[in-house]
Amino acid sequence: MDDQQASRLKQVAYNHQEPAWFIEKRLAAQKLLLNNIDLPQMQRFKFDNWPFFSKHDIDLQIAESIEKNTVTTNEFNVLQIGQTTCSLNLPQKYQEQGVIFTDIFTALKEYPEMIKKYFMTEVIKVDEDRITAYQQAFVNAGLFLYVPKNVEINIPIKADLVQDSRSETSFNPHLLIVAGQNSKLKFVQHLKTIGSCHNTMNMAVEIWAEDGSHVEFSSLEEIGKNTTLYFNKRANIMRDAYVEWAVGLMNDCNTVGNIDSELIGDGSYAYSKAIAVTTDKQHVGINNRVINRGPHSTGLINQRGVLLDNSRLIFNGIGQIKHGAHGSKADQQNRVLMMSDNAHGDANPLLLIDENDVIAAHAASVGPVDPIQMNYLMSRGIPFDQAERLVIRGFLGAVLDAIPAVDVRHEMINILERKLINGQNRYRKDQK
């Protein structure tokens, strides 16, 4: 980073009306990039030559003001297209209970002390690797959700985040969710792309789950094929808190990402579920990690992948029980279905145990669709292709059934069905 680049970033952020302390955090992170800080690590997956960094990184747009609807609707949702928040609905009753829900840049101005405390300080730290430094330096969209102590939100919170690839521009959204003691929420994220320009996307999610809180985070992701995507989803989980991830990776692009759960408190619980469907020449690498730090904590991982065409998918399941986490449990499943002879899939379980008096187990498999299940369905008159899709849907059911928003769940199933039908047609064509 030379003085000219730093000066430009500073001026753009100033024009964006950001507070001085946040501009300094951007500049410090950009300086880390100059020092060639390492990329994140991922076993058996090479991505160091991927184009994660864009010449459009510094571009920031001042979004037009919107009117937040807090009275006339019971829906709890937001729509962001690129850097612009198009609509945001926060029901009046939750506003009266102290819930905060706004875009990340409004939060910088209206709730600076909370952003200073939680934004890339404890859950994701700016100096971890090159990607985290990049996120802090060039974040250009995102949301802040705060649910106070003892508040239960009984409807799903829906966030539609749209990458605007109608022009060349990087998309670096950041979601910050703070769940107070004994609070409860369900957050449903839907990521998609409009346009076909070649772009980068760097997505970060931070969840701070205080004592006794309950957070269910679901995500349907269908990013376009001309994007290079990196995501980092992480939660710090305190005493008796519960965090469940349900991530459906239906992207068409090359993707690398991390899902991390830090079980810090006594009795904390994490269940990390992910599915991925890969097509064409797509390469996808996922680290799904749960670290038991607190005693009597439970960390579960369930990953399922379906590979079509010439794609490649790597699932690394990492369960780690730290010294002092006695009475804890770590269990994981990593399973991959191969729908093409040309696809390459790996399911790599890893257990790192530094404590006695614990329970730890893992399972992994890579193979074709179960022929017994296929024969059962076909013997009842179901055609081969349909039977195959039914078996696959059941195989992926753990995540599909965990999506609380019915319309999002149906959309995920529709995307899955479309991908499988297209893959079956291509496979049949190649066999001729």
Side-chain angles (χ1 to χ4, degrees):
M1 178 187 70
D2 56 29
D3 292 341
Q4 185 177 5
Q5 290 173 312
S7 178
R8 183 186 171 205
L9 176 58
K10 184 175 182 179
Q11 186 61 49
V12 169
Y14 177 81
N15 292 342
H16 196 238
Q17 303 175 3
E18 296 177 9
W21 63 268
F22 195 76
I23 295 175
E24 290 304 314
K25 287 174 70 74
R26 283 190 185 274
L27 294 173
Q30 193 187 37
K31 190 173 182 179
L32 284 174
L33 297 177
L34 177 66
N35 296 331
N36 292 321
I37 186 171
D38 290 338
L39 287 168
Q41 299 295 311
M42 183 165 295
Q43 287 186 330
R44 302 185 184 183
F45 194 78
K46 183 178 175 62
F47 59 93
D48 56 350
N49 62 342
W50 286 18
F52 288 117
F53 311 108
S54 167
K55 62 183 179 181
H56 304 285
D57 288 333
I58 300 177
D59 295 343
L60 288 168
Q61 303 166 8
I62 300 177
E64 297 179 2
S65 62
I66 61 166
E67 186 171 339
K68 299 174 185 177
N69 190 335
T70 60
V71 180
T72 60
T73 179
N74 289 322
E75 294 183 349
F76 200 147
N77 56 39
V78 63
L79 169 63
Q80 286 190 339
I81 300 178
Q83 299 180 35
T84 300
T85 303
C86 301
S87 64
L88 189 149
N89 298 317
L90 170 60
Q92 181 71 30
K93 72 172 185 177
Y94 295 123
Q95 185 185 39
E96 292 172 351
Q97 293 178 69
V99 175
I100 299 170
F101 188 48
T102 187
D103 68 273
I104 197 72
F105 294 111
T106 298
L108 275 175
K109 300 167 188 175
E110 297 183 0
Y111 311 100
E113 294 307 315
M114 298 187 76
I115 301 302
K116 280 183 180 179
K117 180 178 180 180
Y118 293 111
F119 188 95
M120 297 193 73
T121 57
E122 293 294 334
V123 182
I124 298 174
K125 296 182 180 179
V126 63
D127 59 354
E128 289 181 14
D129 53 56
R130 191 167 180 80
I131 301 293
T132 56
Y134 173 88
Q135 169 69 206
Q136 171 67 82
F138 300 115
V139 56
N140 60 12
L143 301 167
F144 174 56
L145 172 65
Y146 170 71
V147 182
K149 179 179 179 180
N150 297 325
V151 172
E152 294 190 9
I153 299 176
N154 54 23
I155 57 175
I157 304 164
K158 295 171 63 177
D160 289 290
L161 305 183
V162 182
Q163 178 195 31
D164 189 350
S165 284
R166 292 172 294 186
S167 61
E168 292 186 2
T169 179
S170 60
F171 186 45
N172 308 316
H174 193 107
L175 269 61
L176 176 58
I177 298 172
V178 180
Q181 293 182 15
N182 302 311
S183 63
K184 188 173 183 179
L185 67 100
K186 295 181 180 181
F187 194 95
V188 181
Q189 172 187 267
H190 187 182
L191 300 176
K192 60 183 178 181
T193 301
I194 56 173
S196 57
C197 289
H198 290 267
N199 279 317
T200 63
M201 180 174 174
N202 183 318
M203 174 81 207
V205 177
E206 295 186 278
I207 298 176
W208 187 278
E210 294 283 3
D211 295 352
S213 60
H214 185 113
V215 179
E216 297 179 32
F217 185 95
S218 306
S219 184
L220 166 57
E221 307 184 8
E222 46 174 332
I223 301 302
K225 67 178 181 180
N226 291 331
T227 297
T228 301
L229 170 63
Y230 178 86
F231 69 80
N232 193 356
K233 298 175 170 62
R234 188 178 302 177
N236 278 11
I237 308 169
M238 312 311 286
R239 180 175 56 83
D240 294 325
Y242 176 105
V243 171
E244 178 178 328
W245 303 96
V247 180
L249 299 167
M250 302 292 179
N251 304 311
D252 292 324
C253 61
N254 287 339
T255 301
V256 63
N258 289 281
I259 306 172
D260 289 293
S261 302
E262 296 271 348
L263 294 162
I264 297 172
D266 191 337
S268 52
Y269 184 101
Y271 191 4
S272 186
K273 296 177 281 189
I275 61 174
V277 180
T278 59
T279 62
D280 199 22
K281 297 180 180 179
Q282 185 182 8
H283 284 202
V284 176
I286 306 298
N287 279 338
N288 199 334
R289 181 187 296 108
V290 179
I291 301 178
N292 300 66
R293 298 186 185 276
H296 310 104
S297 55
T298 300
L300 308 177
I301 297 172
N302 189 355
Q303 301 190 104
R304 306 285 172 115
V306 178
L307 287 84
L308 306 165
D309 306 316
N310 297 295
S311 62
R312 184 183 184 196
L313 171 64
I314 306 295
F315 272 149
N316 292 318
I318 305 164
Q320 186 172 8
I321 300 180
K322 292 286 191 176
H323 181 66
H326 55 85
S328 293
K329 179 179 179 180
D331 193 5
Q332 61 173 284
Q333 296 184 37
N334 307 276
R335 302 190 185 280
V336 172
L337 284 183
M338 309 293 292
M339 304 295 295
S340 167
D341 296 336
N342 298 319
H344 179 80
D346 283 326
N348 304 314
L350 179 64
L351 289 175
L352 304 171
I353 311 300
D354 297 323
E355 182 57 81
N356 298 316
D357 185 28
V358 298
I359 298 173
H362 66 75
S365 65
V366 178
V369 173
D370 188 334
I372 297 177
Q373 293 178 339
M374 288 291 295
N375 289 336
Y376 176 84
L377 293 173
M378 292 173 65
S379 69
R380 280 148 181 80
I382 298 176
F384 178 89
D385 284 359
Q386 184 180 355
E388 190 174 57
R389 296 196 301 272
L390 287 171
V391 171
I392 292 171
R393 187 186 298 186
F395 174 75
L396 302 177
V399 170
L400 296 174
D401 294 342
I403 306 296
V406 175
D407 57 339
V408 176
R409 183 165 65 247
H410 287 168
E411 186 161 359
M412 185 180 290
I413 292 171
N414 290 337
I415 295 169
L416 170 64
E417 189 79 359
R418 184 179 69 246
K419 281 178 171 283
L420 294 177
I421 290 173
N422 291 340
Q424 289 171 329
N425 291 338
R426 286 192 298 268
Y427 181 77
R428 232 181 346 259
K429 182 179 179 181
D430 291 341
Q431 295 299 105
K432 292 182 178 178

